[in-house]
Each structure stands twice: as structure tokens, then as C-alpha cells.
Amino acid sequence: MLIALKSVHIIAIAIWAGGLIALPALLRRDDEMASRAAVVRLHHFSRFAYDALVSPAAVLAIATGTALIFFVVADDWLFLKLVAVAGMVGVHMLIGRVLDQLESPDARPASWKRAALLVGAIVTILAVLTLVLGRPSIPESWMPGWLLEGQGEELPLVSEGPSAGSSSSGRETPT
């Protein structure tokens, strides 16, 4: 089960990351293409790739990644990885916004916007890969204080041992 979950997660991440890198190059302007028909075909292909491939892969990657959290020990690198994944989600949403803007006939995305989307995608993807593969130890001074402090309460669904929360009859006792 765990191997299948990890496999699906890795495949989904590969499709998502590949799409985030490829889509900015597909956001072409009219003056960069041979004809208006070519621009329309490219826009339709870009929209299809975004809606039918990249977005479902992103949802699947996030869903399987969330499920995998229950199988790993949550070290400090995981929190930074989640921030980097949030950056990937942000780039994904910005690409979708540019695709929406291309629906208008007079839309002309600037080349600097495409370059910024590409750089953002590469930086966030490399950050995720670096954190996952390297699993660096993060100094406590980098963490916000609220993340390191407890609230003085026990965590729900966490027992302190095999007999915690149960009586001799085998039923749980309310806490």
C-alpha cells in the first residue's frame, strides 16, 4: 500500500512539475506566431494541458502527499517543504490566471511574465526536491516561536502507551 501510494505521488509530482515548467513557454503572443490560427490552436492545447493534465496531477500530488504524512515522522524539513509546495500552488494558480487572460482576443502576455512564471516554477520545484531528498536539519532559530511551543494540552488521538485511555473492560474512558 505504501509503495503504491509513493509511486502515485512521484508520478503526479513529475507530471505537475513538468507542466509548471512547460506551460509558461506555451503562453505565446500573436506576434511570435505565424498566424492567428496557430495562436488559437496553441492556446487550446495549453488550456487542455492545464485543465486535463497538470491540474489533476497537482490535486493528486497534494492528496497523496497528505496521505503520506501519516506514514513518516514529521521532521522540521517537512514544514519548509509544505511552504515550497504552497509556492508551487501559487505558480500553478498564476499560470491559470494568465491562461484565463488569454481568452480575450487582445491579450498579449509579456515575455517577462512568462519568464517570471518559469523562474518561479523552477525555484519552487528545486526547493521541494532539495528538502525532500536532502532532508536537512533546520536550526530552531529559523522556526517561529508558536511552532515550537506546546499549548499545555494533550494532542487528540495520541495515546501515551498501550493502556492509555482504556479501562480493564477494554472500553475507552472519557478524558
Side-chain angles (χ1 to χ4, degrees):
M1 172 67 178
L2 181 60
I3 293 174
L5 190 61
K6 282 185 179 183
S7 298
V8 170
H9 183 65
I10 291 169
I11 291 168
I13 288 286
I15 294 169
W16 185 24
L20 289 182
I21 291 172
L23 281 171
L26 298 176
L27 305 174
R28 298 286 179 171
R29 297 183 300 194
D30 288 347
D31 57 351
E32 296 175 349
M33 302 293 292
S35 68
R36 178 72 182 148
V39 171
V40 170
R41 280 194 310 272
L42 184 63
H43 175 66
H44 287 305
F45 174 75
S46 302
R47 175 53 76 178
F48 173 79
Y50 183 83
D51 290 341
L53 298 173
V54 180
S55 293
V59 170
L60 188 60
I62 291 170
T64 54
T66 302
L68 284 171
I69 287 176
F70 296 105
F71 293 103
V72 299
V73 176
D75 287 334
D76 43 6
W77 63 269
L78 182 63
F79 299 111
L80 288 180
K81 180 199 150 213
L82 294 177
V83 170
V85 169
M88 285 178 67
V89 169
V91 170
H92 184 97
M93 290 172 45
L94 288 172
I95 289 172
R97 183 171 170 110
V98 171
L99 280 170
D100 288 342
Q101 291 170 349
L102 284 176
E103 298 287 333
S104 134
D106 58 342
R108 301 191 189 288
S111 59
W112 70 266
K113 286 183 182 178
R114 293 192 330 244
L117 289 171
L118 179 62
V119 168
I122 290 172
V123 166
T124 55
I125 291 166
L126 286 177
V128 169
L129 287 174
T130 300
L131 291 166
V132 169
L133 298 176
R135 297 184 184 219
S137 178
I138 309 301
E140 282 189 17
S141 62
W142 289 13
M143 298 288 181
W146 59 268
L147 191 61
L148 300 173
E149 295 174 1
Q151 300 297 317
E153 300 288 327
E154 291 203 20
L155 294 174
L157 306 174
V158 177
S159 63
E160 292 182 7
S163 63
S166 63
S167 64
S168 60
S169 66
R171 287 190 273 158
E172 291 189 15
T173 57
T175 54

